[in-house]
């Protein structure tokens, strides 16, 4: 029987993992997620953070439940556990959980727990038997140490899932496609930027792009190539699904949005075969799609094979003021209306994976990449 678990700290990036968690593994059963006090999420369904379809998992603030049988294990994303705007004493909260007999699963991109001295303090020494650490840095053992074997072309098709902005459901598309491939008897391995993916059978490159890394850009590319080949060697998939590490291109001159530099680096390391582009709802336009598809073909060597329409709206005023892309979410019904209006009018197939699932998108990819 799966262990009843809670997740902390919950954020927008974690929603796809929460949605697919219980269906993607049988070790843990997520009962609730916890987030910082003052976020306006307490008591709401986790899906409220992105106005997505209900996942029937409530959000609470970090407190031990009155009924201690509500959950037994706390899953902690250590890379986002520090919040300078919160008054919560995280170390005290974790200590209370452990002293109440709970277990902690700590997920991190680093070799050791970040903030070990400040946050974890003596917890590892006192409760080491009840703290289990999952590190993306240790999740894939390197098999290719010979200098002449550090870079080689990838032997299977690679599907790249990226967005014009990072908030455009890329991880949701990756997880939904993975489930669809599995349902239809195909083996698909996934590499994403989410450390939480380690708990559902995926792999993470978060340690390669984290603030603590001292790797050169060339070394990052070589490590990505090694990681992909190691995953293929270990899992023998038919297809490798990769989440782009940042936005796929510059948004504009005011908010460059990372320039797509990390995604370009990844494309040089892995040479993807097809791109699924996740777009904000207000940018779904035939001429715009044609333009960025040609840009992706020139930049990454692969065209846009399909589009997922996200319910993300770009806040243009705040983007200009803050010099960074700022987004909000509209109702999912607006996405369905866009799909109705564009049906048959856009050459690139358009989908809503959040509302409709990835079944139709799977069939298109399978016909294109597995035949």
């Amino acid at each position: 029987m799966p262990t009843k678990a809670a997740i902390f700290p919950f954020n927008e990036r974690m929603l796809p993992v929460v949605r697919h968690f219980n269906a993607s593994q049988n070790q843990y059963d997520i009962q609730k997620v916890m987030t910082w006090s003052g976020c306006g999420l307490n008591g709401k369904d986790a899906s409220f953070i992105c106005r997505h379809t209900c996942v029937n998992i409530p959000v609470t603030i970090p407190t031990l439940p009155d009924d201690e049988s509500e959950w037994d294990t706390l899953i902690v994303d250590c890379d986002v556990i520090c919040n300078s705007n919160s008054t919560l004493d995280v170390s005290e909260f974790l200590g209370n959980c452990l002293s109440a007999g709970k277990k902690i699963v700590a997920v991190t991109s680093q070799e050791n727990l970040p903030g070990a001295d400040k946050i974890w303090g003596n917890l590892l020494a006192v409760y080491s038997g009840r703290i289990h650490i999952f590190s993306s840095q240790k999740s894939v053992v390197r098999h290719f140490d010979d200098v002449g074997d550090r870079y080689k072309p990838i032997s299977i098709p690679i599907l790249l899932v990226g967005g014009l902005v990072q908030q455009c459901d890329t991880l949701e598309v990756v997880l939904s496609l993975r489930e669809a491939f599995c349902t239809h008897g195909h083996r698909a391995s996934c590499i994403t930027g989410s450390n939480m993916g380690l708990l559902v059978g995926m792999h993470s490159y978060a340690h390669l792009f984290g603030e603590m890394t001292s790797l050169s850009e060339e070394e990052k590319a070589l490590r990505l190539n090694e990681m992909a080949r190691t995953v293929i060697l270990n899992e023998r998939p038919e297809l490798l699904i990769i989440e782009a590490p940042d936005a796929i291109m510059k948004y504009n001159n005011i908010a460059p949005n990372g320039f797509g530099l990390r995604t370009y680096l990844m494309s040089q390391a892995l040479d993807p075969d097809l791109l699924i582009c996740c777009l904000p709802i207000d940018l779904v336009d035939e001429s715009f799609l044609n333009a960025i598809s040609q840009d992706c073909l020139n930049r990454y060597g692969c065209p846009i094979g399909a589009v997922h329409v996200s319910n993300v709206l770009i806040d243009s005023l705040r983007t200009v003021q803050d010099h960074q892309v700022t987004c909000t979410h509209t109702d999912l019904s607006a996405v369905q209306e866009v799909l109705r209006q564009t049906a048959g009018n856009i050459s690139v197939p358009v989908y809503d994976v959040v509302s409709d699932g990835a079944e139709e998108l799977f069939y298109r990819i399978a016909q294109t990449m597995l035949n």
Side-chain angles (χ1 to χ4, degrees):
M1 180 177 293
T3 300
K4 294 180 180 180
I7 289 179
F8 172 77
F10 175 69
N11 55 30
E12 179 181 331
R13 171 72 173 161
M14 205 177 292
L15 176 59
V17 177
V18 171
R19 180 191 304 279
H20 294 273
F21 200 93
N22 291 344
S24 298
Q25 50 76 54
N26 55 19
Q27 186 173 0
Y28 302 105
D29 183 16
I30 301 302
Q31 301 294 305
K32 67 193 302 185
V33 295
M34 302 181 191
T35 192
W36 311 103
S37 176
C39 290
L41 296 174
N42 188 27
K44 294 181 169 61
D45 187 83
S47 61
F48 181 81
I49 197 169
C50 292
R51 300 184 69 177
H52 281 185
T53 53
C54 185
V55 296
N56 296 314
I57 296 177
V59 184
T60 67
I61 58 175
T63 56
L64 276 176
D66 294 331
D67 178 8
E68 293 189 359
S69 64
E70 185 177 1
W71 55 270
D72 303 302
T73 297
L74 182 67
I75 300 173
V76 179
D77 187 346
C78 298
D79 287 7
V80 293
I81 201 173
C82 296
N83 185 348
S84 59
N85 297 317
S86 174
T87 58
L88 175 71
D89 187 326
V90 175
S91 182
E92 181 182 10
F93 167 62
L94 297 176
N96 289 339
C97 292
L98 290 165
S99 63
K102 309 297 183 181
K103 293 181 180 179
I104 289 180
V105 172
V107 186
T108 177
S109 61
Q110 303 303 316
E111 190 169 354
N112 299 307
L113 289 175
D117 295 335
K118 180 179 179 181
I119 294 178
W120 297 92
N122 295 322
L123 296 180
L124 286 169
V126 177
Y127 301 102
S128 60
R130 295 214 298 274
I131 301 175
H132 304 281
I133 303 172
F134 285 81
S135 167
S136 64
Q137 194 164 347
K138 297 179 179 179
S139 66
V140 180
V141 178
R142 296 175 64 186
H143 283 277
F144 308 100
D145 294 324
D146 183 74
V147 174
D149 200 31
R150 296 189 67 198
Y151 177 86
K152 283 188 176 179
I154 306 301
S155 58
I156 64 173
I158 290 186
L159 176 66
L160 179 64
V161 179
L164 196 65
V165 297
Q166 283 188 292
Q167 301 94 324
C168 276
D169 306 329
T170 54
L171 187 55
E172 175 67 39
V173 173
V174 169
L175 285 161
S176 296
L177 279 174
R178 179 174 178 257
E179 284 186 8
F181 272 92
C182 181
T183 299
H184 289 275
H186 292 282
R187 299 185 306 277
S189 295
C190 299
I191 303 177
T192 80
S194 169
N195 290 320
M196 296 294 290
L198 299 174
L199 300 179
V200 294
M202 300 196 299
H203 306 278
S204 172
Y205 51 69
H207 59 286
L208 298 178
F209 295 108
E211 295 179 358
M212 302 299 292
T213 184
S214 58
L215 298 174
S216 67
E217 303 308 300
E218 179 183 8
E219 188 65 25
K220 291 174 186 175
L222 289 170
R223 292 287 182 89
L224 281 168
N225 183 269
E226 289 177 343
M227 177 185 292
R229 288 186 292 135
T230 300
V231 169
I232 293 168
L233 181 67
N234 292 339
E235 300 180 2
R236 303 294 181 182
E238 301 170 67
L239 176 78
L240 195 58
I241 305 175
I242 308 288
E243 182 188 18
D246 62 356
I248 60 174
M249 62 182 63
K250 180 177 74 172
Y251 180 67
N252 60 25
N253 293 338
I254 296 174
N257 203 27
F259 295 96
L261 295 176
R262 290 179 174 177
T263 301
Y264 179 74
L265 183 150
M266 175 174 281
S267 73
Q268 293 298 293
L270 303 179
D271 194 18
D273 298 278
L274 194 69
L275 170 65
I276 303 300
C277 183
C278 303
L279 282 182
I281 186 174
D282 50 343
L283 294 180
V284 181
D285 174 79
E286 171 77 8
S287 59
F288 179 72
L289 276 173
N290 289 338
I292 65 171
S293 184
Q294 185 60 50
D295 185 273
C296 289
L297 182 60
N298 296 335
R299 187 188 307 253
Y300 304 125
C302 64
I304 293 177
V307 167
H308 161 71
V309 182
S310 172
N311 66 328
V312 159
L313 283 169
I314 296 176
D315 187 334
S316 300
L317 181 59
R318 284 197 61 189
T319 297
V320 171
Q321 291 176 340
D322 300 340
H323 297 278
Q324 62 182 14
V325 179
T326 305
C327 300
T328 186
H329 295 86
T330 188
D331 193 84
L332 283 173
S333 61
V335 176
Q336 291 291 310
E337 180 60 30
V338 166
L339 263 61
R340 284 192 289 269
Q341 293 176 0
T342 57
N345 298 323
I346 293 183
S347 56
V348 179
V350 179
Y351 303 94
D352 176 5
V353 172
V354 172
S355 298
D356 302 331
E359 193 76 3
E360 292 185 15
L361 180 57
F362 157 77
Y363 283 119
R364 179 169 183 84
I365 293 169
Q367 291 173 0
T368 304
M369 304 185 74
L370 298 183
N371 290 334

